[in-house]
Amino acid sequence: MSPYLDVESALRPRLPSPVWEVRDGRFARRGVRLLLKRDDLIHPDLPGNKWRKLAPNLRAAAAAGRRTLLTFGGAYSNHLRATAAAGRLLGFATIGVVRGDELAGRPLNPSLAQCAADGMRLVFVSRGTYRRKAEPAVLAELLDAAAPGEECFVIPEGGSNAAAAAGCLSLGRELRGVADVVAVACGTGGTLAGLAAGLAGAGSAIGFPVLRGGFLADEVESLQRAAFGSRCGDWRLDERFHCGGYAKRSAGLDAFTDDFAARHGLPLDRVYVAKALYGLTTLAEESAFPRGTTLAAVITGHGDTAP
Ligand SMILES: Cc1ncc(COP(=O)(O)O)c(C=O)c1O
C-alpha cells in the first residue's frame, strides 16, 4: 500500500469526536438539552468537516496514483488551508485556485500565507472564470495553465463531492442515539448531506446556510443522490441566519457570539459555526422543540477564522 493511502495512520484523527454538554438557560428554560459535537478537535490542521470531507478524497487521490491536488476557494477559505496542510502532511503537491485576480499583486492575507507556507501554489483567477470553473473547457484550461502535463486530482470548491458526503456519514452515525436534532452550518451542503444520511432517521438535521440565495436544498439533494442514490435522512434548512451572506455579520450575530464565548469559554467561528448556533438558540427560544429534546450543534471548525 502506498504510504499516502493510510491517511488515518499518517494523520491520527481524534475519532469519534468528543461530545460536550453545556448548560445554557436559553435551552434549559424550554426543557431541552444542548450538546456540542466537538468536530473541531478531530485534527489541528484538518478540523471538523475538513477531515471528514477530505479524507476520502485523499485516499482516492492516492489510489489513483495522483501526486498533485488541485482545488478551489475564496481568499479566506478553510478548505484551501486544510488541503494545503494535508498536502504537507501526506506528501502531495497542492495547487489552490483562488477567486479574484485582483488579489494577485497584493500581500497574502494570513489564510493564504498559511497555504503558501504549507507549500500550496496559488493561482488567482477572475471572478468570471471562477464562476465557470466546473465547465469542462474552463477546467481544462485552468489545469493546463496551472500544471501543464500533470494529472491532477481535482477536488471541488469546499471539498464537497460524493466522496466527501460519504465521509460525513460517520458524523451522523456518531450522533445516532445521542441527539434528537442536530444543527450544522452549511456552505456547499456536503456536510449536511452526509450527516443526515448517517443519522438515517434516528434523528433529524437542520442546516443553517451561511450564504444567501435559497439554492442549497437542491445542492444537498444532488450530493445525496450522487453519494447514496437518493435523497435520504430527515433534514431541512432554515435560511434565516445568513446575516446578509457569506462572511457578513450583524450586530445580533456579534453580540450572540461574544456572549456565547463568555458563557461557555468557547470562541465560535463567525463565518460558519456562530450562525448555526445563533439559529439553533433562536429556534429554542421560539419553543420549536418539544420539552425533553436533546439538541446537538456541530462545531465544524476552529473559532478564529473570521476575515
Ligand atoms: C467551519 C466550517 N463549517 C461549516 C462549513 C460548511 O460545510 P459544507 O460546505 O459542507 O456545507 C465549512 C465549509 O466547508 C466550514 O469551513
Side-chain angles (χ1 to χ4, degrees):
M1 182 188 279
S2 146
Y4 303 117
L5 276 175
D6 200 353
V7 174
E8 269 75 12
S9 303
L11 300 185
R12 298 181 172 279
R14 182 174 176 190
L15 287 170
S17 64
V19 174
W20 288 9
E21 176 154 10
V22 291
R23 294 208 49 78
D24 188 312
R26 295 166 294 189
F27 293 82
R29 274 194 291 282
R30 270 94 187 163
V32 299
R33 291 168 69 212
L34 175 62
L35 310 176
L36 303 181
K37 176 67 169 160
R38 295 295 307 271
D39 262 21
D40 56 317
L41 300 178
I42 291 178
H43 191 278
D45 295 318
L46 284 80
N49 61 357
K50 298 296 159 289
W51 165 267
R52 297 194 194 265
K53 294 200 296 188
L54 271 175
N57 279 291
L58 297 168
R59 267 184 236 114
R66 305 289 165 84
R67 299 261 152 186
T68 304
L69 310 173
L70 180 140
T71 193
F72 306 87
Y76 290 91
S77 166
N78 293 329
H79 165 68
L80 281 187
R81 270 215 315 283
T83 306
R88 168 176 51 81
L89 293 165
L90 296 170
F92 289 104
T94 55
I95 300 171
V97 178
V98 185
R99 179 179 53 231
D101 51 0
E102 75 280 3
L103 301 171
R106 297 196 200 151
L108 299 178
N109 70 35
S111 190
L112 292 177
Q114 184 58 52
C115 292
D118 279 337
M120 178 173 266
R121 194 145 62 76
L122 299 171
V123 177
F124 297 90
V125 299
S126 72
R127 282 155 204 279
T129 303
Y130 192 88
R131 252 194 311 279
R132 297 170 49 223
K133 61 192 175 304
E135 291 174 21
V138 176
L139 179 60
E141 213 170 293
L142 275 173
L143 284 167
D144 209 35
E150 173 117 25
E151 283 242 63
C152 295
F153 188 88
V154 178
I155 303 175
E157 181 177 39
S160 281
N161 53 13
C168 293
L169 277 172
S170 56
L171 171 59
R173 289 184 180 141
E174 288 170 29
L175 288 167
R176 292 190 68 161
V178 174
D180 304 305
V181 180
V182 183
V184 71
C186 298
T188 54
T191 309
L192 176 63
L195 162 66
L199 284 168
S204 66
I206 308 176
F208 293 95
V210 306
L211 290 98
R212 292 165 69 108
F215 58 87
L216 200 68
D218 288 347
E219 295 289 317
V220 176
E221 276 206 41
S222 82
L223 280 164
Q224 287 198 327
R225 271 197 302 277
F228 315 118
S230 63
R231 179 179 169 127
C232 45
D234 177 4
W235 61 268
R236 67 184 175 88
L237 299 176
D238 190 323
E239 308 255 5
R240 290 179 293 161
F241 299 97
H242 54 68
C243 302
Y246 183 75
K248 297 276 191 325
R249 286 150 67 162
S250 65
L253 177 70
D254 278 343
F256 171 83
T257 309
D258 294 343
D259 174 67
F260 193 91
R263 282 176 195 246
H264 303 301
L266 184 66
L268 302 175
D269 157 55
R270 290 176 197 259
V271 177
Y272 288 99
V273 182
K275 290 182 180 178
L277 264 157
Y278 187 32
L280 187 66
T281 306
T282 306
L283 285 174
E285 291 182 312
E286 291 170 352
S287 298
F289 308 110
R291 297 184 86 76
T293 303
T294 299
L295 305 171
V298 186
I299 309 299
T300 40
H302 291 149
D304 55 0
T305 54

